Amino acid sequence: MESLSRLKCEARLLHVLGISKPMIARMAKRAAVNGTSVEAELLASGTVEEEAYFAGLARMYGLPFLPEIDPSLLVDHAYSDTQLAEPRMLRLHYSDRPPIVAIAPHILNMEGLAKRFGRNGPGAGTLVVTTTTAIRRASWKVGESRRVGQAVRGLFDTLQPLSARLVVTGDQGFVAGAGLCLICLFSIMAPMLAAVISHLTLSLFHTAALLLRMAVVSHGRRPRVCEAKLEHGSDVLPVYTVMVALYREADVVPQLLAALDELEWPRSLLDVKLVCEADDHETIEAIRRSNPGPHVEVVAVPAMAPRTKPKALTYALAGARGEFLTIYDAEDRPHPQQLREAYHAFRLGPPDLACLQAPLVIGNAGESWISAIFALEYSALFRRLLPALGYYRMPLPLGGTSNHFKTALLRASGGWDPYNVTEDADLGMRLYRMGYRSSTLTLPTYEDAPTDFRIWLAQRTRWYKGWLQTWLVLMRQPLRTARDMGFLSFLVFQLLVGGMLIAALSHPGLIVFLTLLAVSLMQVPVAQPSLFTTILLAMDIFNILGSYAIFFVLGATPMSKGEKEGVGWKWAMIPVYWMAVSLAAWKAVIELRLKPFHWNKTPHRPSRAILPASE
């Protein structure tokens, strides 16, 4: 009853301001559904320009209006960040007169403010009306040095053992050096025995990782227990923040904004932040030319090393208004109902559920053999492996996009590591270590895979470098990590991250061993292999062919008919793709030593893929 009375009062004042009754009625209906105000719905709709609205309020009640705020008039402190999320009031300090307060008021509060601060009020001259955008823009500017410093140093200062800023700690360096010396000594004293033990160890590790993926194939046949229903109008939705990090992405800005406009979430409750480097003028200008709605804000990140996506996202996190938050890439086309599925999954899930990963689906599988195998790889990871891990409450190596978070838990975990170039996998493991859980969604995000080998190689090298960083961070104190995660989860982590690294690095060696053995068997007279050599040969054949087969089965089974047609015969290039992955892994090892925090930027272009109508 009170809210109805409030809406009526608000509607009456808006009509006095000059807003038409039909417009007020439409906005009042939205406000009643969304649990907001008529004023908020009016501004979010874009029907009335924000500056014109607040200027009209100021004239109506006899208060001065300030369209822009000079950041030099502000004093920066930690409290200033509250005005990024809820921009309502700033104190302006002048050198030649007393301070004044700039506010972006609600219309229902204007009458009381006018009596006190109007021309004839006791506080005349100490208050001005401004816009929420002006408050937010000035707050970003005045606190940028402090905020970017926190984004760069925050995780290292508060949770140093979990930061990748130190590539290798002193203890790790000592252990690695001592181990290398022992291996070299052993290899010199007993070269054949050392080779056999190394080969057997690698083969057993490959077999364990392969068995894990075979278990995932079996899990994929299980019926889904339940899925969150996408309810409409059943309850009041919260504010949802959507963050997109862009760098030199001017060409895909129109596609990105069109995809974000398709999201089925009230605009008054949507907080979109396009996070750009401050010196990327071309992308910022492309966004400005596209004239996005009032719910879209450009966050300019000041230049400071390392210039990475996680640093930019952590910087922008200070201004996130949403109870929930998701990350997209510049070329992403998320399913319109993905936010609703995530919200209901959070609402129905346990309190320690911190993150939900939406499946990433490659839309251009038919363009090249690289994009076809990439599509199989993503299908296996996001539609088979991660759902199985989430089902059994195992740690999830998150993808770099379409992660949905509870914002408070994301902040509590330290946000993204600015020094880890595969920040998604690192964050997934850190959340698990801190007692939080991750799961998966069903509604996809479409994106395009690289089709040029050099672009693919640079991207995959960055990924492997980041996975190496993640493994090194978690192995600084392996016993503590095992206690934090639990023994079984720690083992799964070793098979997922460590196994992926070892498989990529050792794959050429296994191929060489099989080739040499095959050549020796073709000699005349035929060399008779020992029983042990035969066992090793059988294990290697099982590991290699089994890995290729599981790779294809895991990827192909969740695909639609159209996706499979796009892949076509290109699945036969899986062995070539795996050798390319090995090249990227070895390149990553070199980069980790020479330039550990260098971000290999993946260029994007507008998609030419046609999305399935059924999706």
Side-chain angles (χ1 to χ4, degrees):
M1 195 69 181
E2 182 181 348
S3 60
L4 181 60
S5 175
R6 183 182 176 88
L7 286 177
K8 288 182 178 179
C9 181
E10 195 178 7
R12 177 180 57 80
L13 293 173
L14 286 170
H15 184 59
V16 173
L17 184 62
I19 309 299
S20 68
K21 286 185 177 181
M23 175 63 67
I24 293 172
R26 288 199 299 273
M27 297 301 117
K29 185 177 180 180
R30 292 185 190 176
V33 171
N34 297 332
T36 58
S37 65
V38 183
E39 180 184 62
E41 295 296 335
L42 184 67
L43 292 172
S45 70
T47 306
V48 176
E49 290 189 6
E50 182 190 42
E51 186 173 323
Y53 175 80
F54 282 104
L57 274 185
R59 286 193 302 271
M60 179 176 169
Y61 288 96
L63 291 170
F65 176 70
L66 187 66
E68 285 293 334
I69 297 174
D70 184 355
S72 66
L73 300 177
L74 304 178
V75 176
D76 180 45
H77 45 75
Y79 174 77
S80 302
D81 288 353
T82 62
Q83 297 304 306
L84 299 176
E86 190 64 29
R88 283 300 164 192
M89 181 176 64
L90 287 176
R91 190 175 180 87
L92 313 183
H93 299 267
Y94 293 89
S95 58
D96 56 348
R97 55 188 170 119
I100 65 173
V101 176
I103 65 168
H106 291 294
I107 192 170
L108 291 175
N109 300 331
M110 285 300 295
E111 189 171 342
L113 291 171
K115 288 180 180 178
R116 183 173 178 181
F117 298 101
R119 296 186 184 92
N120 301 319
T126 62
L127 182 139
V128 297
V129 175
T130 187
T131 67
T132 56
T133 297
I135 291 176
R136 193 180 286 118
R137 189 180 294 134
S139 297
W140 278 117
K141 188 65 179 176
V142 71
E144 63 180 8
S145 297
R146 169 183 55 82
R147 206 173 292 113
V148 75
Q150 289 176 343
V152 170
R153 300 185 299 268
L155 183 65
F156 183 79
D157 290 344
T158 57
L159 298 169
Q160 182 173 331
L162 303 183
S163 169
R165 182 174 175 178
L166 296 178
V167 179
V168 177
T169 64
D171 290 343
Q172 286 179 309
F174 174 79
V175 171
L180 185 60
C181 289
L182 289 174
I183 291 172
C184 291
L185 182 62
F186 187 38
S187 300
I188 292 172
M189 295 179 64
M192 289 303 297
L193 182 59
V196 168
I197 292 176
S198 299
H199 192 152
L200 180 60
T201 302
L202 287 175
S203 295
L204 290 173
F205 207 89
H206 274 274
T207 302
L210 179 56
L211 292 175
L212 175 65
R213 283 162 173 78
M214 291 175 67
V216 171
V217 173
S218 175
H219 172 83
R221 299 193 182 100
R222 295 171 63 99
R224 297 187 68 89
V225 178
C226 64
E227 295 180 3
K229 295 181 180 180
L230 305 185
E231 305 163 13
H232 291 267
S234 59
D235 51 17
V236 175
L237 299 174
V239 176
Y240 215 118
T241 293
V242 175
M243 295 208 302
V244 186
L246 302 99
Y247 184 56
R248 298 177 181 172
E249 305 280 16
D251 291 342
V252 297
V253 164
Q255 174 185 287
L256 170 65
L257 293 176
L260 296 179
D261 280 343
E262 293 295 318
L263 293 174
E264 294 184 9
W265 200 265
R267 292 296 173 265
S268 57
L269 299 173
L270 195 59
D271 172 36
V272 177
K273 299 200 181 303
L274 305 182
V275 187
C276 305
E277 295 291 329
D279 56 4
D280 186 9
H281 305 295
E282 185 179 0
T283 301
I284 294 175
E285 182 57 32
I287 297 171
R288 192 166 289 122
R289 285 198 306 269
S290 298
N291 192 29
H295 60 290
V296 178
E297 177 186 14
V298 175
V299 178
V301 182
M304 178 181 283
R307 291 174 71 109
T308 60
K309 172 185 172 182
K311 184 206 74 176
L313 293 176
T314 301
Y315 178 86
L317 182 59
R321 295 194 296 115
E323 180 182 349
F324 303 104
L325 180 150
T326 188
I327 305 299
Y328 291 125
D329 281 345
E331 82 278 18
D332 285 354
R333 288 95 67 197
H335 191 286
Q337 289 188 299
Q338 193 180 106
L339 300 190
R340 287 186 175 270
E341 184 189 16
Y343 164 64
H344 288 296
F346 277 128
R347 185 170 62 89
L348 300 174
D352 63 352
L353 180 62
C355 178
L356 293 164
Q357 171 70 63
L360 304 182
V361 176
I362 297 303
N364 65 332
E367 285 194 35
S368 73
W369 71 270
I370 293 177
S371 61
I373 308 301
F374 201 108
L376 282 171
E377 187 176 25
Y378 261 34
S379 178
L381 175 63
F382 291 103
R383 288 185 272 179
R384 279 289 183 264
L385 180 59
L386 294 188
L389 293 174
Y391 180 86
Y392 292 108
R393 295 174 64 84
M394 293 287 110
L396 263 65
L398 302 174
T401 174
S402 303
N403 319 131
H404 297 255
F405 300 96
K406 289 178 180 175
T407 309
L409 298 186
L410 175 62
R411 287 181 171 134
S413 69
W416 297 270
D417 185 350
Y419 291 94
N420 192 308
V421 296
T422 311
E423 77 292 341
D424 36 29
D426 168 74
L427 181 56
M429 296 301 163
R430 189 179 344 128
L431 285 169
Y432 195 88
R433 280 193 69 178
M434 298 177 75
Y436 302 123
R437 296 295 177 265
S438 300
S439 189
T440 57
L441 301 172
T442 60
L443 297 180
T445 293
Y446 292 93
E447 60 177 30
D448 291 347
T451 55
D452 181 90
F453 180 74
R454 288 175 299 176
I455 295 174
W456 176 91
L457 181 63
Q459 182 190 64
R460 191 54 58 103
T461 299
R462 172 170 60 82
W463 290 0
Y464 270 93
K465 183 168 62 175
W467 287 325
L468 279 166
Q469 289 176 310
T470 300
W471 188 84
L472 287 169
V473 166
L474 268 71
M475 291 302 290
R476 286 173 180 171
Q477 298 173 310
L479 294 179
R480 180 176 177 180
T481 301
R483 286 196 302 269
D484 291 345
M485 300 180 76
F487 176 77
L488 181 59
S489 297
F490 182 72
L491 178 61
V492 169
F493 156 71
Q494 295 294 348
L495 292 177
L496 284 176
V497 179
M500 175 176 52
L501 294 170
I502 290 176
L505 293 171
S506 64
H507 189 69
L510 295 181
I511 296 294
V512 169
F513 171 77
L514 288 175
T515 302
L516 292 177
L517 189 58
V519 170
S520 69
L521 292 175
M522 289 188 294
Q523 293 177 354
V524 180
V526 176
Q528 185 65 34
S530 66
L531 176 62
F532 186 75
T533 302
T534 303
I535 293 174
L536 277 181
L537 175 62
M539 287 182 65
D540 288 343
I541 293 175
F542 172 75
N543 286 333
I544 292 176
L545 298 183
S547 296
Y548 294 161
I550 287 294
F551 183 94
F552 175 76
V553 171
L554 277 178
T557 50
M559 282 184 163
S560 66
K561 181 180 178 182
E563 289 177 281
K564 292 176 182 177
E565 290 174 352
V567 172
W569 61 267
K570 304 180 192 72
W571 63 267
M573 299 294 287
I574 289 176
V576 178
Y577 190 85
W578 273 52
M579 291 301 292
V581 166
S582 295
L583 174 62
W586 282 106
K587 191 168 180 283
V589 172
I590 297 171
E591 276 200 11
L592 187 66
R593 173 64 182 87
L594 300 178
K595 42 183 181 179
F597 312 125
H598 175 68
W599 188 275
N600 293 319
K601 174 72 174 67
T602 304
H604 300 121
R605 54 182 172 82
S607 176
R608 297 194 296 267
I610 300 175
L611 302 185
S614 61
E615 299 291 337

